[in-house]
Amino acid sequence: MQAQCYKKHIRTYALILLSIISISCSAPSVPTALSQLLDRNSIKVGTVYGAGTFYNGAGGPQGFEYELLAGFADFLGVTLDLYPFYSYEVMLEQLEEGNLDIVATGDAVTSDLQQRFAYGPAYQYVEQQLVFKAGTDRPRDIQTLSSPIVAVSGSSQVHILNQLLADQQKPDSQTAIVTTEDSDSEELLQQVALGDIDYTIADSNRLALQRRRYPSLAVAKTLQSEMPMAWAIPLNQDDSVKAAIIEYFGTVHQSGWFTVLEDKYFGHIRQFDYVDSRAFKNAAESTLKQYLPLFKKYSGDLDWRLLAAMSYQESHWEPNAVSRTGVRGLMMLTLDTASDWDVSDRVDPEQSIRGGSRYFASLLSRIPARIGSPDRTWMAMAAYNIGMGHLEDARVLTERQGGNPDLWVDVKRRLPQLRQKKYYRTTRYGYARGDEALQYVENIRRYYDSLVWLDEQDKI
């Protein structure tokens, strides 16, 4: 629902832009790259497979780049013709030959690439990091590595490594670069985690995504910071498509949709805790199996993996867990909540999961119907932690400060204010540990993502 509202907002800007284009194209003139694209009624885009770019999920096409591209096609009022590639170089060659309109690699822009292509505006900035496996010797100098650094052929990582080694060349340098087209950057990170290779280089986005699955991935050194991410377009064509891309990113930033999308894919994974991530993965592959049938039985309309992620955050799947405030059990129920949902024994796993699931479902039903998913889920989850009244206080603060009280990305910024006197004294329910509620939700989102992946890999 929220995404639809944003797209309507974006379409308003698109109609204005297209009206200008149609007026300018009504007079006899040389066709522009954009007018040809509009006449064709489609935009041909190249990308690569990956969790942060494009993949076919259970609900259809997904990925950060895919959603951005689908939004741009909608902005122009044309069909998105998406061509996933396995090779960076083949894809870039197709762009140079005019067979593609845009390339969205999800990869950083290097100086070498800027000589070959024009680019739209930067929409993210990433770091390029040398990655190794935790527990092995941490490399200090890329010039003296005894094993090669493996990178994807044609990627920005290869350009960066070649430049760094050329700039810092030492007579005794023994570092080698091995390039491959048989594995993508996410697979190379997996190979480092499994010990199949010693080193690779990855951007901070892809590393953050993979660390949820392989917590042993460690950063040896940041090789380059603040590298822009942007869409590539042919170098020698006119600027009409580039102007449309600039206009599009302006509208999605102004409408707030870009912030929502970025939070969806990356907002909850920026922070990484090695010990916690490793402990969760181990527990998911061992402890969870004894409670899995109960999570499935009582999840109802919920995703059982979300319920299990909540339980891990609450109790680490310890049925006898008890908090400093006296809540107990797998779902950490208070005495009052247990009574409300017919739980007579809070440390009984089945009763706790049944009661926690029903309580959470009730909170979901109390979130205003106009709030779409997944925002309503994250808000209900925050309410599970601090109560519905405090959640409403955070939404009121959000509206007072010019934010959207129906968007989790806006509300979560105000949750920590519930702990600050100048804010909570103006609210109905007063002080609350809103910062803990925020961390609570973000942790569960990470656990949930990991459970989805582990489940798909049949590792649970």
Side-chain angles (χ1 to χ4, degrees), residues 275-346:
V275 175
D276 178 66
S277 297
R278 185 172 184 179
F280 174 77
K281 186 173 183 291
N282 290 337
E285 294 176 347
S286 56
T287 308
L288 176 58
K289 61 185 176 183
Q290 59 187 306
Y291 305 116
L292 190 148
L294 296 175
F295 287 123
K296 289 185 175 181
K297 180 178 179 179
Y298 292 109
S299 58
D301 293 332
L302 302 172
D303 186 333
W304 71 264
R305 297 167 298 191
L306 183 66
L307 191 63
M310 289 180 64
S311 178
Y312 184 83
Q313 171 62 26
E314 291 285 358
S315 64
H316 283 202
W317 296 324
E318 291 288 342
N320 297 315
V322 58
S323 80
R324 64 180 184 274
T325 59
V327 295
R328 302 190 68 179
L330 283 174
M331 298 301 292
M332 284 294 186
L333 302 177
T334 66
L335 279 171
D336 288 342
T337 300
S339 177
D340 289 342
W341 298 98
D342 299 321
V343 175
S344 59
D345 184 358
R346 289 184 291 166

Side-chain angles (χ1 to χ4, degrees), residues 49 86 152 180-194 196-197 200 206 210 214 217:
Y49 285 105
Y86 297 99
V152 179
T180 178
E181 286 193 351
D182 293 331
S183 301
D184 58 32
S185 59
E186 292 169 11
E187 290 176 290
L188 292 180
L189 286 168
Q190 176 184 349
Q191 290 170 28
V192 170
L194 297 177
D196 296 333
I197 61 175
T200 190
R206 286 189 170 96
Q210 285 297 81
Y214 303 101
L217 293 171

Side-chain angles (χ1 to χ4, degrees), residues 7-220:
K7 287 183 178 179
K8 287 179 181 177
H9 191 66
I10 292 168
R11 286 193 191 104
T12 301
Y13 287 94
L15 289 172
I16 296 172
L17 175 67
L18 295 176
S19 296
I20 296 171
I21 293 169
S22 62
I23 292 171
S24 64
C25 291
S26 61
S29 61
V30 177
T32 66
L34 182 60
S35 67
Q36 291 175 329
L37 183 158
L38 296 173
D39 289 341
R40 190 174 67 225
N41 197 36
S42 69
I43 181 167
K44 298 177 181 179
V45 180
T47 190
V48 292
Y49 285 105
T53 48
F54 164 77
Y55 63 98
N56 286 304
Q62 296 180 35
F64 179 67
E65 291 291 344
Y66 168 76
E67 292 203 41
L68 275 178
L69 292 165
F72 183 53
D74 193 46
F75 174 77
L76 295 178
V78 300
T79 301
L80 175 64
D81 290 338
L82 192 67
Y83 299 91
F85 285 80
Y86 297 99
S87 167
Y88 279 106
E89 273 306 323
V90 171
M91 178 174 60
L92 294 175
E93 287 170 3
Q94 289 297 306
L95 182 63
E96 285 179 314
E97 293 173 8
N99 297 321
L100 298 171
D101 300 309
I102 293 174
V103 156
T105 63
D107 199 15
V109 181
T110 64
S111 56
D112 290 349
L113 292 173
Q114 286 177 319
Q115 295 177 15
R116 293 177 60 187
F117 306 101
Y119 283 89
Y123 52 86
Q124 279 188 321
Y125 289 87
V126 296
E127 295 180 334
Q128 299 287 356
Q129 297 170 319
L130 179 64
V131 181
F132 73 111
K133 184 178 181 179
T136 62
D137 291 337
R138 179 179 181 177
R140 301 291 178 179
D141 186 351
I142 66 167
Q143 292 284 352
T144 57
L145 299 179
S146 56
S147 300
I149 303 174
V150 186
V152 179
S153 300
S155 67
S156 64
Q157 288 78 26
V158 173
H159 292 286
I160 291 166
L161 285 171
N162 285 330
Q163 187 64 52
L164 284 173
L165 292 175
D167 292 344
Q168 304 174 15
Q169 191 63 47
K170 298 178 181 178
D172 59 347
S173 175
Q174 53 186 324
T175 299
I177 302 172
V178 173
T179 62
T180 178
E181 286 193 351
D182 293 331
S183 301
D184 58 32
S185 59
E186 292 169 11
E187 290 176 290
L188 292 180
L189 286 168
Q190 176 184 349
Q191 290 170 28
V192 170
L194 297 177
D196 296 333
I197 61 175
D198 290 327
Y199 310 111
T200 190
I201 176 173
D203 67 61
S204 47
N205 275 352
R206 286 189 170 96
L207 178 59
L209 287 167
Q210 285 297 81
R211 268 181 155 177
R212 295 174 302 168
R213 305 166 179 178
Y214 303 101
S216 63
L217 293 171
V219 177

Side-chain angles (χ1 to χ4, degrees), residues 245-459:
I245 296 174
I246 292 172
E247 183 73 18
Y248 167 66
F249 275 101
T251 62
V252 296
H253 279 290
Q254 185 176 345
S255 68
W257 182 65
F258 182 87
T259 303
V260 172
L261 188 65
E262 190 173 42
D263 180 75
K264 174 182 177 180
Y265 285 95
F266 306 110
H268 59 297
I269 60 172
R270 296 299 189 192
Q271 295 180 338
F272 175 75
D273 185 323
Y274 168 72
V275 175
D276 178 66
S277 297
R278 185 172 184 179
F280 174 77
K281 186 173 183 291
N282 290 337
E285 294 176 347
S286 56
T287 308
L288 176 58
K289 61 185 176 183
Q290 59 187 306
Y291 305 116
L292 190 148
L294 296 175
F295 287 123
K296 289 185 175 181
K297 180 178 179 179
Y298 292 109
S299 58
D301 293 332
L302 302 172
D303 186 333
W304 71 264
R305 297 167 298 191
L306 183 66
L307 191 63
M310 289 180 64
S311 178
Y312 184 83
Q313 171 62 26
E314 291 285 358
S315 64
H316 283 202
W317 296 324
E318 291 288 342
N320 297 315
V322 58
S323 80
R324 64 180 184 274
T325 59
V327 295
R328 302 190 68 179
L330 283 174
M331 298 301 292
M332 284 294 186
L333 302 177
T334 66
L335 279 171
D336 288 342
T337 300
S339 177
D340 289 342
W341 298 98
D342 299 321
V343 175
S344 59
D345 184 358
R346 289 184 291 166
V347 300
D348 177 74
E350 183 163 8
Q351 290 192 48
S352 183
I353 292 172
R354 185 195 69 216
S357 173
R358 292 176 179 176
Y359 176 49
F360 181 65
S362 75
L363 292 173
L364 265 173
S365 70
R366 293 166 61 188
I367 301 295
R370 67 178 179 275
I371 299 178
S373 296
D375 300 71
R376 63 185 302 103
T377 301
W378 311 142
M379 290 188 194
M381 205 172 281
Y384 191 100
N385 182 257
I386 59 172
M388 186 63 76
H390 291 305
L391 172 68
E392 287 304 303
D393 282 346
R395 295 182 66 234
V396 169
L397 289 173
T398 301
E399 190 167 26
R400 285 178 188 170
Q401 296 169 21
N404 187 336
D406 294 347
L407 288 179
W408 170 248
V409 71
D410 283 353
V411 173
K412 76 175 187 177
R413 294 174 184 168
R414 277 76 184 186
L415 281 170
Q417 294 177 2
L418 297 178
R419 203 164 189 159
Q420 300 174 41
K421 187 175 181 180
K422 69 176 181 178
Y423 295 110
Y424 72 69
R425 69 182 180 185
T426 70
T427 64
R428 181 177 179 181
Y429 293 93
Y431 173 89
R433 295 191 297 272
D435 54 337
E436 293 182 13
L438 169 58
Q439 193 60 55
Y440 174 88
V441 176
E442 302 296 73
N443 286 349
I444 292 172
R445 291 177 66 183
R446 286 195 295 272
Y447 298 148
Y448 172 67
D449 286 352
S450 295
L451 280 180
V452 169
W453 181 78
L454 288 169
D455 186 35
E456 291 172 348
Q457 302 295 313
D458 293 326
K459 293 188 176 183

